[in-house]
Amino acid sequence: MKKTKIIMGMPITVEVLDSIKATEMESVFEYFRKIDRKFSTYKKNSEISRINRGLSKDQWSEETKEVFNLSEQTKLQTGGYFNIENKGIIDPSGLVKGWSIHNASKILLELGYSNFYIEAGGDIEIHGYRNKRLPWDVGIRNPFNVNEIIKVLRLTNRGVATSGSYIRGEHIYNPIKNRTANDVASLTVIATNIYDADRFATAAYAMGQEGINFIEGLKGMEGYMVSYDKLATYTSGFKELIAN
Amino acid sequence: MKKYIIGAAIALIFLIYSIALRSQHTRLILPSSSKAGSGNSSTGSNAVTASKPSKVKYKDGHFVGSVANAYYGNVQVAVDISNGKIKNVNFIQAPSDNPNSSYINQQAKPYLAQEAIQAQSSNVQVITGATFSSEAFIQSLTSALNKAK
């Protein structure tokens, strides 16, 4: 069973190999809606919006405290490149996306399903197999042509996240500040779960060309970086994940 | 009234967003048939249903939207209105425009390998790629259109 819904302003797809009750499937989407209500910076009454208006710490929910602790930890692990605070505004969406996909996967695992994937806006957590003993095939999208795939990965029990932009920075007129454009078109990170893949992809992308080196240095993680010269740079263990 | 404008803006945004993903140009020219804010959902299969048609006449000019936070950075758009219709939407900021990106270390990369990217068979179950929340677009464009009223 495969289902897609738009939540958090992006398509979320759940595909479960074995037959699954509609109510169980719905509980996964309901979890994302709950997270959106709590962490959306676009919803005036979300907890994160209230925190940005000064909600005192003793009134924060346990989930929010967890997200803040994880963000703090990630900030330290990435030398400050991962930061949910920007100009005094707190926005943890860069962490919440991967974290919520990972938690939603746990819901399906607890319900007894072991062959599935959950994809939200291009970030994926994969469990088990797609067909008997065949792992799932995951394509990496060409950042220069969204209808094209430039790599096929064969994965089981992994998280895959891609950071990047379809708009090249240096072509954009920025009236505020003359910034150096990021010459990385996209950076894909594969980890044992989507929580790690997403947060480290986000931080490594912010490092520019240096990001792939950072991923190389992380245990259990592989990366595929595509530059604007249409060259890909990949980590030492990446080839083992390729389908052919 | 405000609801209708936002509804129409959302429909428009999805069209723009899908065009943006396909054309990869920073400057987006809208089809002349799409009437800004007049809500005649002529946006085809990409459109999200606008709540109801509304008659909004925008002032001509160049209007800059607010900065909205997308997953990997900020999104800010500017809209050009001519004869009360949207002529084009430009991105002023997009997520690759990251202030941290100027950090480049010339350190050796002994374990990394390189290759030219190449199109592959698209026979896969799922695709990873960069996306960001359409809410950032909606927020920035809505604010630009509000200035045009």
Side-chain angles (χ1 to χ4, degrees), chain A residues 9 42 81 121-122 130 137 139 141 144 146 149 151 162-163 166-167 172 174 180 202 207 224 230 232-234, chain B residues 21 24 26 69 71-72 92 96-97 101 103 105 112-115 117-118 120 125-126 128 130-131 134 136 139:
Chain A
Y42 297 94
Y81 272 97
R130 70 176 156 101
D137 286 332
R141 175 171 287 144
F144 309 107
V146 292
I149 285 164
K151 215 80 206 167
T162 299
S163 269
Y166 295 107
I167 303 151
I172 297 161
N174 188 334
T180 310
T202 303
M207 296 175 192
Y224 193 76
K230 301 201 172 174
T233 309
Y234 51 91
Chain B
L21 286 176
Q24 296 127 46
T26 56
N69 204 313
Y71 280 99
Y72 305 108
I92 296 171
S96 69
D97 199 17
S101 65
Y103 172 79
N105 192 330
L112 302 176
Q114 271 194 336
E115 64 183 18
I117 61 164
Q118 215 181 346
Q120 310 276 311
Q125 286 82 55
V126 58
T128 181
T131 52
S134 56
Q139 191 176 338

Side-chain angles (χ1 to χ4, degrees), chain A residues 8-10 42 81 91 93 97 117 119 121-124 130 136-142 144-146 148-152 160-167 169 172-176 179-180 182 198 202 205-207 209-210 212-213 216 224 230-236, chain B residues 14 17 20-22 24-26 48 67-72 74 76 91-137 139:
Chain A
M8 303 173 168
M10 62 189 168
Y42 297 94
Y81 272 97
D91 180 3
S93 26
K97 191 180 176 189
Y117 70 80
E119 182 254 337
D123 291 351
I124 312 149
R130 70 176 156 101
W136 298 89
D137 286 332
V138 180
I140 297 179
R141 175 171 287 144
N142 185 348
F144 309 107
N145 177 0
V146 292
E148 210 168 87
I149 285 164
I150 49 170
K151 215 80 206 167
V152 180
V160 192
T162 299
S163 269
S165 173
Y166 295 107
I167 303 151
I172 297 161
Y173 167 63
N174 188 334
I176 300 153
R179 289 170 178 162
T180 310
N182 192 339
D198 186 30
T202 303
Y205 180 71
M207 296 175 192
Q209 293 276 355
E210 175 59 20
I212 192 72
N213 253 358
E216 175 70 41
Y224 193 76
K230 301 201 172 174
L231 275 178
T233 309
Y234 51 91
T235 55
S236 52
Chain B
F14 273 84
Y17 187 55
L21 286 176
R22 272 156 189 81
Q24 296 127 46
H25 291 310
T26 56
V48 164
V67 176
N69 204 313
Y71 280 99
Y72 305 108
N74 292 331
Q76 188 179 24
F91 291 91
I92 296 171
Q93 283 190 63
S96 69
D97 199 17
N98 192 308
N100 289 329
S101 65
S102 57
Y103 172 79
I104 290 174
N105 192 330
Q106 292 304 322
Q107 180 188 326
K109 299 167 180 169
Y111 305 107
L112 302 176
Q114 271 194 336
E115 64 183 18
I117 61 164
Q118 215 181 346
Q120 310 276 311
S121 137
S122 56
N123 190 19
V124 297
Q125 286 82 55
V126 58
I127 297 170
T128 181
T131 52
F132 38 93
S133 166
S134 56
E135 285 166 321
F137 275 104
Q139 191 176 338

Side-chain angles (χ1 to χ4, degrees), chain A residues 109-124:
Chain A
L109 288 172
E110 277 161 26
L111 287 168
Y113 298 99
S114 46
N115 301 301
F116 63 88
Y117 70 80
I118 299 178
E119 182 254 337
D123 291 351
I124 312 149

Side-chain angles (χ1 to χ4, degrees), chain A residues 44-237:
Chain A
K44 254 167 77 185
N45 290 317
S46 68
E47 190 172 338
I48 199 70
S49 293
R50 284 187 284 136
I51 286 169
N52 276 319
R53 289 197 299 269
L55 181 74
S56 68
K57 233 174 180 162
D58 55 300
Q59 291 187 63
W60 294 9
S61 68
E62 285 307 310
E63 239 166 359
T64 296
K65 285 180 197 159
E66 186 190 340
V67 163
F68 272 74
N69 286 338
L70 293 172
S71 299
E72 200 47 46
Q73 200 180 50
T74 305
K75 188 179 169 183
L76 293 172
Q77 288 168 327
T78 59
Y81 272 97
F82 188 97
N83 196 342
I84 62 168
E85 200 184 318
N86 183 17
K87 292 170 193 142
I89 302 290
I90 291 164
D91 180 3
S93 26
L95 185 118
V96 164
K97 191 180 176 189
W99 175 78
S100 61
I101 299 170
H102 186 49
N103 288 340
S105 298
K106 285 184 198 161
I107 295 175
L108 286 176
L109 288 172
E110 277 161 26
L111 287 168
Y113 298 99
S114 46
N115 301 301
F116 63 88
Y117 70 80
I118 299 178
E119 182 254 337
D123 291 351
I124 312 149
E125 182 152 305
I126 280 164
H127 285 269
Y129 298 85
R130 70 176 156 101
N131 176 15
K132 290 183 183 158
R133 304 302 294 167
L134 270 181
W136 298 89
D137 286 332
V138 180
I140 297 179
R141 175 171 287 144
N142 185 348
F144 309 107
N145 177 0
V146 292
N147 299 314
E148 210 168 87
I149 285 164
I150 49 170
K151 215 80 206 167
V152 180
L153 308 172
R154 190 150 283 177
L155 303 173
T156 181
N157 303 326
R158 287 285 183 280
V160 192
T162 299
S163 269
S165 173
Y166 295 107
I167 303 151
R168 190 172 186 175
E170 68 181 22
H171 290 156
I172 297 161
Y173 167 63
N174 188 334
I176 300 153
K177 202 172 163 190
N178 188 21
R179 289 170 178 162
T180 310
N182 192 339
D183 44 8
V184 176
S186 77
L187 174 64
T188 300
V189 172
I190 303 107
T192 51
N193 61 70
I194 185 58
Y195 166 65
D196 281 340
D198 186 30
R199 65 199 183 113
F200 286 110
T202 303
Y205 180 71
M207 296 175 192
Q209 293 276 355
E210 175 59 20
I212 192 72
N213 253 358
F214 175 69
I215 298 300
E216 175 70 41
L218 294 172
K219 223 182 151 195
M221 271 181 233
E222 302 299 337
Y224 193 76
M225 175 184 82
V226 180
S227 311
Y228 275 99
D229 54 11
K230 301 201 172 174
L231 275 178
T233 309
Y234 51 91
T235 55
S236 52

